[in-house]
């Protein structure tokens, strides 16, 4: 049976929860089912801020780092994290600095569309799972490159 996009989204926010629908053993290994997912946020403009606000309320997820080239956006997002989760996230002007942090498990990518695949590929290669808004890529080749990288690096 083929599910339509509308039907999928009508399932109560399934698109939002999809990164968390994988079995815990796939995400963490069988030994750590209760581990907190440490999130990094790349791009914190309008959509990135909305996603940050949503992920701040996800049980089992902690927003620990924010990367955006605009200082005011980073600082405003850090204030939201501090108010909601009670800690100060690391702030980066360059997303590559965020990706270099081995303690980050996954990243939320809310960059301009043409940056989705380049940043996503860098994240997967750095050992991070990724959440990327649509569109993933602008071509089938970009989408295939992202899929191939996820398979090669065993990332979600």
């Amino acid at each position: 049976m083929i599910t339509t996009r509308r039907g999928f989204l009508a399932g109560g926010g399934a698109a939002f929860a999809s990164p968390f629908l994988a079995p815990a053993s796939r995400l963490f290994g069988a030994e750590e089912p209760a581990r907190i997912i440490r999130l990094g946020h790349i791009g914190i403009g309008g959509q990135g801020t909305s996603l940050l606000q949503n992920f701040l309320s996800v049980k089992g997820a902690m927003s620990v780092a924010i990367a955006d080239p605009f200082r005011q956006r980073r600082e405003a997002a850090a204030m939201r994290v501090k108010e909601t989760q009670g800690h100060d996230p690391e702030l980066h002007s360059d997303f590559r600095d965020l990706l270099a942090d081995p303690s980050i498990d996954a990243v939320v990518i809310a960059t301009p569309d043409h940056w989705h695949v380049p940043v996503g590929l860098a994240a997967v290669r750095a050992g991070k799972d990724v959440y990327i808004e649509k569109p993933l890529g602008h071509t089938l080749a970009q989408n295939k490159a992202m899929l191939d990288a996820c398979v090669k690096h065993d990332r979600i």
Side-chain angles (χ1 to χ4, degrees):
M1 175 179 173
I2 297 176
T3 301
T4 64
R5 187 170 108 184
R6 183 168 301 194
F8 179 73
L9 293 175
F16 172 75
S18 62
F20 304 103
L21 295 178
S25 61
R26 169 69 174 94
L27 291 171
F28 312 114
E31 311 81 54
E32 300 186 68
R35 185 171 157 222
I36 298 291
I37 298 171
R38 295 174 50 86
L39 293 174
H41 296 266
I42 300 173
I44 205 76
Q47 187 64 18
T49 297
S50 177
L51 288 170
L52 172 67
Q53 201 62 39
N54 288 331
F55 277 102
L56 287 174
S57 65
V58 173
K59 185 178 179 183
M62 181 183 297
S63 296
V64 298
I66 295 165
D68 195 284
F70 298 101
R71 181 183 51 79
Q72 291 173 318
R73 288 183 185 172
R74 289 190 308 266
E75 291 174 357
M79 286 178 23
R80 281 192 177 89
V81 172
K82 178 77 169 178
E83 292 167 0
T84 307
Q85 294 185 338
H87 65 90
D88 293 313
E90 292 290 323
L91 301 179
H92 305 279
S93 60
D94 189 325
F95 75 91
R96 293 170 293 194
D97 296 333
L98 183 149
L99 294 179
D101 183 345
S103 72
I104 295 174
D105 302 308
V107 294
V108 178
I109 299 172
T111 59
D113 293 352
H114 63 280
W115 277 102
H116 286 179
V117 170
V119 174
L121 287 172
V124 167
R125 290 173 183 147
K128 315 297 184 215
D129 292 323
V130 297
Y131 174 90
I132 302 175
E133 289 282 290
K134 69 177 178 84
L136 175 58
H138 287 291
T139 66
L140 290 175
Q142 286 181 335
N143 294 341
K144 180 153 180 13
M146 191 68 202
L147 175 63
D148 291 346
C150 287
V151 170
K152 177 180 178 180
H153 298 282
D154 195 28
R155 295 291 99 207
I156 297 172

